[in-house]
Amino acid sequence: MATLSAYNKKHKVTVVGSGNWGSAIAKIVAENTKEHPDLFEEGVQMWVYEEELTVPATSKHYDSGSKFSTQPHKLTRLINHFHENVKYLPGIALPSNLTANPSLEESVHDSTILVFNLPHQFIGGLCDQMKDHILPYARGVSCIKGVSVDSEDVRLFSEIIGEKLGIYCGALSGANIANEVAQEKFSETTVAYDPPPMDSRNPSQNPTPKAGTPRGTTPASSQLDLTSINEHKDTRGKTSKIKLIVPPADLPPTDHNLLKTLFHRPYFHVQVVSDVAGVSLGGALKNIVAIAAGFVAGLGWGDNAKAAVMRVGLLEMVKFGRTFFANSVSAGTFTEESAGVADLITSCSGGRNYRCAKMSVERNISIEEVEREELNGQMLQGLSTAKEVYGFLKARGKEDEFPLLVGTY
């Protein structure tokens, strides 16, 4: 329910990406901006990679007499006309305050919160394209699962985005199958966001929210005025290369409570933590464990053996995080949050990494062959992650410390 706010400005939100998961997240965000007009502008922009198509014959919108069903149209026009992403999220009604926009530059213009949800290989190019068109004090949340790994380093997609754009960016991850979330079947997620110190404000100098406005005991409600500080620590505990710009004092602080308000729905429960590295690693490493669980299932070793793989995998996920991100990772992120153990359970029960690994054993073919046959050109994230993590651990002589992560490759 909306409440009056002492802040003169409102957050404008853009979702960068419009695939299956991107459209589901955009639906959630648009529902919440409409319900909280004291904090957010109602309208939400969703950047769409433009393509042309006709309404599929399987769609409820198909009409043999309609030009939308007989002639190709821009995907953005179809989304905005039918309020449905007929290609990537068919059958799900999208809020009327969500607008599909083919122009990346226009969609991010004047937005204070950017939600990223796109294939990781496009991060660099899209950030280069938008960096001169965003507000310098914008903040971001990456819904892109996984991390970037090579023999030299492990990098979080959220920090890659932040460095490219010169902003702070958190992460969202959890046991979230996009179609189930879009259908409003109950699920949980974890938002990781460690508010930079310059986003904190002294209530005696800046607007104080009126009673009832969502606020809490986060750094934003501290008694210290840290807005003169433009440095913050990265997930390795080092001073970040990014020199952040302080948001306007009359804009509601982007803190844990604001982000919970933006993403939480009755069917999509949100827990907000500060452990960005732990949440990001959970979304990546669980895919390796899921492949191992799939191999075990395909061999017919039973549920006990699969449970053992999951237990060992979870322990190695925790150890990996605490070994390479010791300054920020909490074991509880893996053992207590949706981004950890819950996502691991879902992935090892029916996720595509698990299913393809199981089929590879059952059919006596390589998992790469299953990938080609079953995924219509899409790639298994677990395969590339397993290879990259193996190379990273081998370069440090730590193969023996992570037998499941290494052995899966």
Side-chain angles (χ1 to χ4, degrees):
M1 184 175 179
T3 57
L4 295 176
S5 171
Y7 295 105
N8 295 323
K9 294 184 176 180
K10 301 177 183 181
H11 284 283
K12 179 183 176 183
V13 185
T14 293
V15 177
V16 181
S18 58
N20 184 244
W21 184 220
S23 297
I25 283 292
K27 172 182 179 290
I28 288 169
V29 166
E31 288 170 352
N32 282 328
T33 59
K34 187 172 184 177
E35 286 190 11
H36 299 278
D38 54 319
L39 298 172
F40 305 105
E41 292 185 14
E42 182 175 325
V44 173
Q45 293 281 308
M46 178 175 71
W47 175 71
V48 175
Y49 177 78
E50 193 68 286
E51 50 190 305
E52 292 193 351
L53 68 153
T54 57
V55 173
T58 55
S59 172
K60 67 180 180 181
H61 302 293
Y62 181 80
D63 178 355
S64 60
S66 168
K67 61 182 179 180
F68 291 113
S69 301
T70 58
Q71 301 173 19
H73 284 76
K74 302 288 187 184
L75 178 57
T76 50
R77 185 178 180 192
L78 294 176
I79 293 173
N80 291 330
H81 178 78
F82 292 113
H83 297 295
E84 177 183 319
N85 190 331
V86 295
K87 181 172 184 179
Y88 295 108
L89 197 63
I92 301 298
L94 299 177
S96 59
N97 59 316
L98 177 66
T99 302
N101 193 331
S103 169
L104 182 62
E105 295 85 354
E106 288 181 10
S107 64
V108 300
H109 181 69
D110 283 344
S111 290
T112 55
I113 298 177
L114 305 171
V115 181
F116 297 87
N117 207 325
L118 61 151
H120 66 86
Q121 60 265 35
F122 300 123
I123 291 174
L126 290 175
C127 285
D128 287 341
Q129 189 178 337
M130 74 172 76
K131 65 183 177 183
D132 294 326
H133 302 276
I134 66 169
L135 291 173
Y137 53 84
R139 298 294 184 253
V141 176
S142 168
C143 302
I144 307 166
K145 282 194 176 183
V147 292
S148 174
V149 188
D150 57 31
S151 60
E152 299 298 321
D153 199 8
V154 177
R155 301 191 66 204
L156 312 184
F157 292 139
S158 59
E159 292 191 333
I160 294 173
I161 291 169
E163 289 176 11
K164 282 276 189 180
L165 298 179
I167 66 173
Y168 178 77
C169 185
L172 180 152
S173 186
N176 307 139
I177 297 172
N179 285 335
E180 292 186 8
V181 173
Q183 293 166 16
E184 302 189 3
K185 295 180 179 180
F186 180 82
S187 63
E188 297 178 314
T189 200
T190 310
V191 173
Y193 196 86
D194 189 15
M198 70 288 302
D199 288 6
S200 298
R201 298 171 187 168
N202 186 340
S204 66
Q205 297 179 3
N206 296 303
T208 301
K210 293 179 180 178
T213 301
R215 290 276 71 83
T217 56
T218 68
S221 49
S222 164
Q223 295 300 311
L224 298 175
D225 181 13
L226 304 176
T227 56
S228 61
I229 302 173
N230 67 352
E231 292 183 349
H232 69 288
K233 300 291 185 182
D234 63 18
T235 52
R236 297 286 176 77
K238 300 177 181 178
T239 299
S240 174
K241 302 174 185 176
I242 308 168
K243 302 301 180 184
L244 296 175
I245 303 300
V246 180
D250 51 0
L251 184 71
T254 304
D255 57 15
H256 283 194
N257 283 299
L258 183 100
L259 292 177
K260 185 163 186 173
T261 302
L262 182 62
F263 291 107
H264 187 91
R265 298 296 296 159
Y267 59 88
F268 191 66
H269 281 208
V270 173
Q271 180 72 18
V272 188
V273 300
S274 296
D275 184 5
V276 181
V279 166
S280 301
L281 289 171
L285 298 179
K286 57 94 178 182
N287 288 323
I288 304 177
V289 183
I291 288 178
F295 287 151
V296 166
L299 289 166
W301 289 359
D303 290 337
N304 293 334
K306 188 174 82 168
V309 166
M310 294 168 65
R311 183 190 69 82
V312 173
L314 182 60
L315 291 176
E316 290 192 17
M317 289 165 61
V318 173
K319 185 175 183 178
F320 191 97
R322 298 186 75 169
T323 299
F324 301 110
F325 291 85
N327 286 289
S328 64
V329 159
S330 167
T333 302
F334 297 94
T335 60
E336 300 171 14
E337 300 298 337
S338 180
V341 63
D343 200 7
L344 178 65
I345 292 169
T346 298
S347 299
C348 292
S349 300
R352 63 184 183 180
N353 288 281
Y354 168 81
R355 288 186 283 107
C356 287
K358 183 173 182 286
M359 283 188 282
S360 75
V361 176
E362 292 172 338
R363 299 177 185 178
N364 196 29
I365 59 176
S366 71
I367 191 171
E368 289 84 2
E369 289 181 73
V370 176
E371 180 183 49
R372 287 191 295 270
E373 293 175 3
E374 298 290 333
L375 298 185
N376 299 316
Q378 292 185 308
M379 299 182 69
L380 283 178
Q381 198 171 37
L383 284 183
S384 58
T385 304
K387 180 180 180 180
E388 293 162 355
V389 167
Y390 172 79
F392 176 78
L393 293 172
K394 183 176 175 61
R396 284 152 184 76
K398 291 186 176 291
E399 302 101 300
D400 292 344
E401 296 184 33
F402 299 89
L404 189 140
L405 296 179
V406 169
T408 303
Y409 172 70

